[in-house]
Amino acid sequence: MTDAKTPTPQINVRAPEDARKTLQRLGGLLRDNADFLATLEAFLDEYDRSANKPNISDRLAQIEARLAALEGEK
């Protein structure tokens, strides 16, 4: 008796051609590694959280503007 895997559903995604190999890698990891989904979801959650925060350049510009305002008050 062979150990046949249950077929996984096929999902089609519209994405840039440059993303093709990456999406295929993701599909393989999701299909072959049961723990990968949780890892990917955690990564995406962290990405979403950090996307809503100002980046380092923006934060530095804000600090410099505040410092300039404080120095102007002297």
Side-chain angles (χ1 to χ4, degrees):
M1 185 170 173
T2 61
D3 184 23
K5 287 186 175 181
T6 306
T8 54
Q10 180 175 337
I11 299 171
N12 296 316
V13 177
R14 291 191 185 273
E17 185 62 32
D18 293 348
R20 181 182 185 86
K21 286 185 180 184
T22 301
L23 291 171
Q24 288 173 329
R25 284 180 62 199
L26 282 172
L29 288 166
L30 289 166
R31 191 175 44 248
D32 299 336
N33 182 347
D35 297 327
F36 182 71
L37 179 58
T39 302
L40 180 59
E41 287 176 337
F43 170 80
L44 292 172
D45 290 344
E46 178 60 30
Y47 179 83
D48 289 343
R49 281 191 296 276
S50 66
N52 294 328
K53 295 179 184 175
N55 62 34
I56 297 296
S57 298
D58 292 340
R59 291 178 62 197
L60 182 57
Q62 292 169 356
I63 291 168
E64 289 174 335
R66 290 171 56 195
L67 179 60
L70 288 172
E71 289 176 340
E73 292 176 2
K74 290 183 180 181

